[in-house]
Amino acid sequence: SKDNFDHFMLKEIFDQPNVLRDCMRGRIINAPYSRPWSPQQKGKNTDSLSVILSAVTLHRRELLRARRIIILSCGTSWHAGLIGKQLIEHFCKLPVEVAYASEFRYSDSVIEPDDVVMAISQSGETADTMAAMEMAKKRNALVFGIVNAVGSGISRISDTGVYIHVGPEIGVASTKAFTGQVTVLVMLALALGMAKGTVSQEEYNTVLHELVMIPDKIQKVLEQNDKIKDIAKKYIHSKNFLYLGRGYNYPVALEGALKLKEISYIHAEGYPAAEMKHGPIALIDSEMPVVFLATHHQLYQKIVSNMQEVISRNGKILAIVTEGDEQVKAMVDETIEVPPTIACLAPLLSVIPLQLLSYHVAVAKGLNVDQPRNLAKSVTVE
Ligand code: M6R
């Protein structure tokens, strides 16, 4: 049910603090003795958290042997895959490729038996993702599913995997599945990094401690719903939007743009902020709002210079910033603040205002938010 919300999408956006707690439950535990595969560390850091994923425990051998990970997915799940690549490369020092399942299945891509193929899917029924997995299975790669819908096709053909456990997602625009996927990818990168010995104990502890605080921080972002609604009303007549971010926030820019396209029918493009100079800057004028992901992380100052370039061309800026950022606030038209966190968890907070922005733009335009035109919740045909 929608509870007291006007739409499933809004309910699902507001569900995020709780469902992410569900996603972490039983996987992040405060029990040092159960830390896997590092017997030499047993007994140390008695108050530290551990992440335990049975898929990683059971398939430890194949995962440690993997020379490469290939992530296959579509749409929002592909955006989560781009974040997964950064996480796994950082924590596990393992090369990761991310492909659209639809392209991968018809390409001459090489799959080796020591590759691990990860399929990310909310519905677990996406035809292209399933077909790409079948291909990987034929080539004897370990097929690892990151799925929401329990018992779905993708979960059944996976050799192993991790459910995101965020509950049914009804709104066509994916919201809580995205943050659930990113949460699982963080846990997976940490669990595998610990097994491989490629993540330091200190960083592992820091990320886990920050991760368990994310649901409360999302709650703080949600408290700005009314403010975001007011901002959204100012943009309903815009015809185009640009979304820019870097590093972990680059896939968030893609995701923000996709959300706006899907339910508000406004053309939007996401780019890595530095790519602006290589073309999109030509589009900027007073009619072209630019959404910047400008939290206090990687390359913040460079993002600030990109903003200056937009301002000097009369572009309107809406910036997602870290709480207390006076520098950007003084420069741009609108800011939405998110609580501070570490870079690799930034997407879990910065995507929330973008979900709400697209929701409120669509509602203000009188559109059918939960069932936008031409779209289906699961794409079971190619
Ligand atoms: O169920 P899946 O995660 O496999 O679906 C993939 C895409 O079809 C899906 O993310 C789509 O892009 C959503 N409508 C995005 O909001």
Side-chain angles (χ1 to χ4, degrees):
S1 85
K2 285 189 278 197
D3 297 338
N4 290 325
F5 292 95
D6 290 342
H7 297 96
F8 281 108
M9 182 181 177
L10 190 61
K11 172 184 183 284
E12 287 159 8
I13 292 172
F14 274 80
D15 269 352
Q16 288 174 107
N18 277 334
V19 298
L20 294 186
R21 286 187 196 104
D22 295 340
C23 173
M24 291 183 239
R25 181 170 309 116
R27 289 148 170 194
I28 296 179
I29 50 175
N30 198 347
Y33 49 82
S34 53
R35 173 173 298 129
W37 324 304
S38 299
Q40 71 277 18
Q41 288 167 344
K42 233 181 197 175
K44 287 193 190 156
N45 297 314
T46 46
D47 57 350
S48 69
L49 300 170
S50 295
V51 57
I52 299 193
L53 299 173
S54 55
V56 176
T57 312
L58 295 170
H59 294 273
R60 182 172 187 237
R61 231 186 29 194
E62 292 107 306
L63 290 167
L64 290 185
R65 194 184 60 196
R67 304 268 298 276
R68 174 174 71 153
I69 290 184
I70 303 172
I71 298 181
L72 302 174
S73 41
C74 304
T76 289
S77 301
W78 184 76
H79 298 153
L82 294 177
I83 295 169
K85 172 183 165 72
Q86 296 183 47
L87 290 164
I88 295 168
E89 291 188 338
H90 176 76
F91 292 110
C92 312
K93 309 289 177 246
L94 194 59
V96 181
E97 288 175 27
V98 189
Y100 285 115
S102 56
E103 286 296 309
F104 189 86
R105 64 181 287 201
Y106 292 115
S107 67
D108 295 325
S109 314
V110 178
I111 307 178
E112 305 284 359
D114 54 8
D115 285 333
V116 170
V117 171
M118 285 184 182
I120 307 180
S121 176
Q122 186 289 128
S123 63
E125 303 294 350
T126 302
D128 282 319
T129 308
M130 204 148 10
M133 288 174 80
E134 298 280 14
M135 211 168 108
K137 281 194 95 163
K138 282 201 191 103
R139 314 241 180 104
N140 297 317
L142 179 78
V143 175
F144 193 108
I146 298 176
V147 175
N148 190 33
V150 176
S152 56
I154 291 179
S155 72
R156 283 181 285 123
I157 63 172
S158 299
D159 294 316
T160 185
V162 184
Y163 279 118
I164 65 173
H165 284 321
V166 297
E169 193 182 63
I170 311 292
V172 164
S174 188
T175 52
K176 62 179 179 174
F178 175 77
T179 46
Q181 290 162 344
V182 174
T183 302
V184 162
L185 288 161
V186 172
M187 293 192 289
L188 181 60
L190 288 177
L192 188 54
M194 190 48 103
K196 286 174 67 84
T198 45
V199 57
S200 70
Q201 187 68 55
E202 193 189 342
E203 194 175 15
Y204 177 93
N205 290 349
T206 307
V207 179
L208 280 178
H209 281 279
E210 289 288 330
L211 183 62
V212 297
M213 290 193 293
I214 287 291
D216 290 342
K217 292 184 182 180
I218 292 180
Q219 196 62 52
K220 285 190 78 180
V221 184
L222 294 172
E223 284 162 16
Q224 297 173 75
N225 185 38
D226 289 342
K227 176 183 175 183
I228 298 171
K229 185 174 174 180
D230 290 341
I231 294 175
K233 286 184 190 145
K234 300 184 193 167
Y235 290 99
I236 57 170
H237 299 298
S238 299
K239 296 270 180 284
N240 299 286
F241 262 78
L242 202 55
Y243 285 70
L244 301 175
R246 294 189 76 152
Y248 284 106
N249 270 332
Y250 155 54
V252 178
L254 299 181
E255 175 59 6
L258 177 65
K259 288 290 89 91
L260 195 73
K261 278 182 266 212
E262 283 190 295
I263 60 165
S264 317
Y265 313 149
I266 295 176
H267 170 239
E269 287 192 61
Y271 268 97
E275 277 295 303
M276 183 177 80
K277 284 198 189 64
H278 300 276
I281 198 166
L283 297 167
I284 289 169
D285 61 15
S286 59
E287 306 282 289
M288 175 75 155
V290 185
V291 178
F292 272 97
L293 282 310
T295 49
H296 271 150
H297 297 116
Q298 305 146 300
L299 309 168
Y300 167 78
Q301 279 308 335
K302 291 183 195 282
I303 299 238
V304 171
S305 345
N306 290 139
M307 287 188 199
Q308 270 146 357
E309 287 157 354
V310 171
I311 292 166
S312 65
R313 287 163 182 83
N314 298 320
K316 295 257 175 308
I317 296 183
L318 164 55
I320 311 303
V321 297
T322 304
E323 268 169 21
D325 183 330
E326 297 303 326
Q327 185 185 3
V328 172
K329 208 180 259 176
M331 287 168 60
V332 305
D333 304 274
E334 316 278 357
T335 53
I336 301 168
E337 293 188 328
V338 297
T341 188
I342 51 177
C344 70
L345 304 180
L348 293 169
L349 300 181
S350 47
V351 77
I352 310 292
L354 306 190
Q355 296 170 343
L356 286 169
L357 179 71
S358 63
Y359 172 79
H360 288 300
V361 171
V363 171
K365 289 180 77 169
L367 300 173
N368 185 344
V369 172
D370 284 332
Q371 281 177 310
R373 67 185 183 203
N374 309 339
L375 290 171
K377 183 62 185 163
S378 14
V379 184
T380 52
V381 288
E382 60 174 301

